[in-house]
Amino acid sequence: MSHYSLVIRNGTIYDGTGAAPVTADLGIRDGKVATVGSIEPGSIENPVAGREIDATGKWVLPGMLDVHTHYDAEVLGSPGLGESVRHGVTTIVLGNCSLSTVYADADDCADLFSRVEALPWEAVHSAVKEHKTWSSPQSYVDAINQRPLGANVAGFIGHSDIRAAVLGLDRATDPTVEPTAAELGRMKIMLGDALDAGFVGLSTIRSSFSKLEGTRWPARLLPSTFASWREFGALNDILRARGRIHQSTPNLAKRSEMARYFLQSMGLKRRPLKTTIISAADVKADRTVVRMAIAAAKIVNKLGGDGFRWQHLPVPFEVYADGIDLVVFEEFGSGAAALSIRDVMKRGHLLADETYRRTFRKEMTAKGFKVWHRDLYDAEIVACPDASVVGRSFGAVADDRGIEPADALLDLAVEHGKALRWCTTIANDRDDVLDRLQQSEVVQVGFADSGAHLRNMAFYNFAVRMLERVHTRKFMPIEKAVHRLTGELADWYGLDAGHLTIGSRADVAIIDPAGFDGTSGEYAEAPMPGLDGVNRMVNRNDGAVAATVVAGHVLYEYGSFADGFGTTLHAGKFLQANNS
């Protein structure tokens, strides 16, 4: 019998702590790191390992973490989570933005997830209806562990999930309803049960973008947005006592509300509350926002115990739209009204109506805080049956036609519907600002939204793209960048991941820097697993990721997955958070 199941030879090993790398062999046995050093070669008759990988010239690092995903439905039907695994991610965190599938039934889950995360209602509904065997957080964990996971899974319990289960989705989204003492008590018990089962914390949401789908209560805000701060405070007390995390999406239009998050996070005369909020982004619409956000977080942490982190996407925030199907239209009334109409003909009639257009034009150019810059000269048409407009901005088309840019957008959307495809970058377009953000102590690398917004954005390879930026621009040491993507996140979330030391989990990414060719941000699509006829935006770094290993299993190498991946091969597990 071989001494090791896998030996990775002669790689440049980054251990995830931020320490300088060493060139060594890595020996793996029983899913754990057994040796970091020099391993004598074996022979044909007596091999030292069941499998060897030559990592000469390559970086061997802990498998990377993606802490902001919406894989909650996908993990049920396609548990390999291949789009993350192929990019060296070995642990994902789901249950973000108040959304999880632990307590709510299939109808409620589909209504909760579909519009805000731009997922097909039928896909979410069928995944939960077909696979749900659980009735509690612990039985959910058991069910996830029975699936042939590729990447490891960790999770938040969603506040909207809890609220819908306790109040019913109708009452949970009624602004006149306040939970009774008994109902709030039940929510606290449900949160405690989730923490007992190893969930990393509670996710909430306050964003006015976040609305229900379906036929029952369409366009109502998600349940979590209706909670009082008294309700949040009661749940936060449980998190604080257990050393667990509050993840949230604030209402960015109400900046003063951020003070409540800061006060909840601060540890004055009590234990700090670990809090992670989206997002530290260099927003084109207002260049002052990110500076103020970073400054405020530094003050809060200095005064209150270093518990606050902004989540940050470390690449340009480029988004695509089919017609007007894009979440940023939710931020103003006429845009949200159009998104609320799913029937193609009815939506077209609305967009063609002059009264509606007057409102749309006014709101598109209105002053005040906005996430999307709404500059239609900065929005490129990438596909359209009318070939004459492809490669041009809506502003340029409008100039040719002698109309307003907003009318050019609406005219093309009415004429071509979802066959009109366009893109824009809403944030993170300045390299020097990105460099500073990725080194800030109040910033946490994440917010990829993996598994959501299938036709709008693709950041599955954000970690590899960050490593490529660091390698190319040299604005921080590689070992620090690796730490930010691995050990720093694992330690903050209390997860057994992110390190390559003796006895640690053998979750490994082998990166080939020769594959850093500048193409990692290029547009690509691939069929969505389990959804016939649906293509999603993806990324491809097939030359940069030499291999991804989970618990000693080689799951992926240079564009190819192992036999049985996502079907019979059980590699990942549900990682339970540790109290801290």
Side-chain angles (χ1 to χ4, degrees):
M1 181 178 293
S2 302
H3 189 58
Y4 302 100
S5 60
L6 175 66
V7 168
I8 301 170
R9 289 200 179 274
N10 201 38
T12 302
I13 298 178
Y14 296 87
D15 67 6
T17 68
V22 297
T23 299
D25 301 333
L26 188 76
I28 294 169
R29 184 189 312 118
D30 298 327
K32 302 282 187 179
V33 175
T35 300
V36 179
S38 179
I39 299 174
E40 291 296 322
S43 63
I44 295 177
E45 296 80 12
N46 187 27
V48 73
R51 168 81 191 276
E52 294 196 12
I53 295 176
D54 181 6
T56 303
K58 301 177 179 64
W59 305 344
V60 179
L61 48 131
M64 293 175 283
L65 283 79
D66 186 347
V67 297
H68 192 113
T69 82
H70 292 284
Y71 277 132
D72 305 72
E74 186 173 337
V75 74
L76 303 178
S78 301
L81 304 178
E83 205 55 46
S84 287
V85 169
R86 75 185 301 137
H87 297 299
V89 171
T90 59
T91 298
I92 65 95
V93 180
L94 42 70
N96 285 276
C97 300
S98 87
L99 303 172
S100 56
T101 62
V102 176
Y103 289 112
D105 63 22
D107 288 344
D108 286 355
C109 285
D111 285 357
L112 289 167
F113 275 87
S114 299
R115 179 164 173 170
V116 63
E117 301 304 339
L119 295 166
W121 189 94
E122 296 80 6
V124 178
H125 185 267
S126 62
V128 177
K129 188 175 182 63
E130 178 182 352
H131 296 288
K132 185 168 185 177
T133 58
W134 55 88
S135 58
S136 68
Q138 185 57 59
S139 56
Y140 174 84
V141 170
D142 295 340
I144 292 298
N145 277 329
Q146 290 169 8
R147 308 208 61 70
L149 295 175
N152 302 305
V153 171
F156 286 100
I157 188 70
H159 186 216
S160 287
D161 184 9
I162 290 175
R163 249 185 156 248
V166 171
L167 301 177
L169 191 54
D170 184 15
R171 292 182 66 232
T173 54
D174 183 337
T176 68
V177 171
E178 181 79 12
T180 66
E183 288 169 334
L184 180 55
R186 186 177 167 205
M187 290 186 210
K188 292 165 68 174
I189 290 171
M190 294 164 81
L191 172 58
D193 288 346
L195 301 184
D196 288 342
F199 283 69
V200 297
L202 175 74
S203 69
T204 67
I205 200 164
R206 304 289 290 177
S207 170
S208 58
F209 291 11
S210 308
K211 297 176 181 176
L212 297 180
E213 185 60 280
T215 59
R216 298 177 297 170
W217 303 286
R220 287 189 186 182
L221 293 173
L222 292 184
S224 184
T225 62
F226 294 99
S228 66
W229 280 92
R230 182 181 72 87
E231 183 177 326
F232 282 133
L235 298 173
N236 283 340
D237 284 344
I238 297 171
L239 298 172
R240 188 179 290 108
R242 301 280 293 271
R244 301 294 177 85
I245 301 165
H246 181 179
Q247 184 276 326
S248 194
T249 305
N251 185 342
L252 297 174
K254 296 182 178 179
R255 296 190 192 182
S256 61
E257 195 173 72
M258 278 307 305
R260 292 186 177 271
Y261 286 105
F262 292 150
L263 289 171
Q264 286 287 309
S265 177
M266 290 171 70
L268 300 176
K269 296 184 179 180
R270 61 182 179 181
R271 187 177 190 179
L273 172 66
K274 282 187 173 182
T275 306
T276 178
I277 305 288
I278 60 173
S279 159
D282 180 24
V283 179
K284 278 187 176 182
D286 188 343
R287 297 298 196 181
T288 68
V289 170
V290 73
R291 292 200 301 271
M292 292 189 295
I294 296 300
K298 288 181 178 179
I299 293 170
V300 168
N301 283 344
K302 184 175 182 179
L303 294 175
D306 194 28
F308 189 91
R309 296 291 184 274
W310 291 107
Q311 289 187 1
H312 166 66
L313 179 70
V315 298
F317 206 124
E318 185 179 42
V319 295
Y320 284 73
D322 296 320
I324 62 163
D325 281 339
L326 184 61
V327 68
V328 293
F329 283 100
E330 299 276 18
E331 73 175 341
F332 57 99
S334 56
L339 291 180
S340 295
I341 300 174
R342 292 307 187 193
D343 181 89
V344 174
M345 294 296 292
K346 290 181 180 179
R347 181 185 283 185
H349 288 313
L350 177 68
L351 300 185
D353 180 79
E354 181 54 33
T355 301
Y356 171 83
R357 286 185 170 217
R358 281 197 295 271
T359 302
F360 186 87
R361 286 193 294 266
K362 182 178 179 180
E363 292 180 339
M364 281 287 287
T365 56
K367 296 186 181 299
F369 177 75
K370 59 188 76 170
V371 173
W372 175 30
H373 50 75
R374 303 183 204 170
D375 178 2
L376 293 178
Y377 288 91
D378 186 10
E380 181 185 357
I381 301 164
V382 297
C384 184
D386 179 358
S388 69
V389 302
V390 175
R392 309 184 69 202
S393 72
F394 291 109
V397 172
D399 289 345
D400 284 353
R401 297 182 179 185
I403 58 177
E404 293 293 319
D407 286 304
L409 167 62
L410 295 176
D411 285 347
L412 291 169
V414 169
E415 184 175 0
H416 302 294
K418 291 186 178 182
L420 169 69
R421 189 152 174 81
W422 55 279
C423 70
T424 188
T425 299
I426 62 176
N428 296 347
D429 57 308
R430 300 186 295 179
D431 276 327
D432 58 333
V433 178
L434 273 181
D435 294 350
R436 292 196 296 273
L437 287 174
Q438 282 153 42
Q439 298 177 82
S440 172
E441 69 273 17
V442 298
V443 163
Q444 187 176 85
V445 179
F447 193 37
D449 259 352
S450 302
H453 303 286
L454 306 182
R455 299 288 300 158
N456 304 134
M457 56 186 73
F459 304 120
Y460 297 94
N461 69 344
F462 73 96
V464 177
R465 288 175 68 180
M466 178 174 164
L467 291 175
E468 183 171 5
R469 287 191 75 254
V470 173
H471 180 63
T472 302
R473 293 179 58 80
K474 298 177 172 50
F475 60 90
M476 73 166 99
I478 298 295
E479 55 265 31
K480 181 178 179 181
V482 170
H483 173 61
R484 302 228 70 185
L485 292 164
T486 59
E488 178 181 307
L489 293 171
D491 294 347
W492 201 82
Y493 282 79
L495 298 173
D496 179 17
H499 296 275
L500 287 183
T501 53
I502 303 299
S504 67
R505 286 181 55 82
D507 301 333
V508 186
I510 304 177
I511 303 298
D512 186 349
F516 291 157
D517 60 3
T519 64
S520 60
E522 292 183 357
Y523 187 89
E525 292 187 7
M528 176 68 186
L531 290 181
D532 293 341
V534 175
N535 278 358
R536 67 172 166 185
M537 291 177 57
V538 297
N539 303 122
R540 288 293 180 263
N541 279 94
D542 290 348
V545 181
T548 305
V549 179
V550 175
H553 299 278
V554 181
L555 300 183
Y556 170 86
E557 293 180 274
Y558 284 123
S560 298
F561 290 95
D563 291 343
F565 177 81
T567 55
T568 59
L569 179 55
H570 290 251
K573 63 178 289 188
F574 189 98
L575 297 184
Q576 296 175 303
N578 300 315
N579 285 321
S580 60

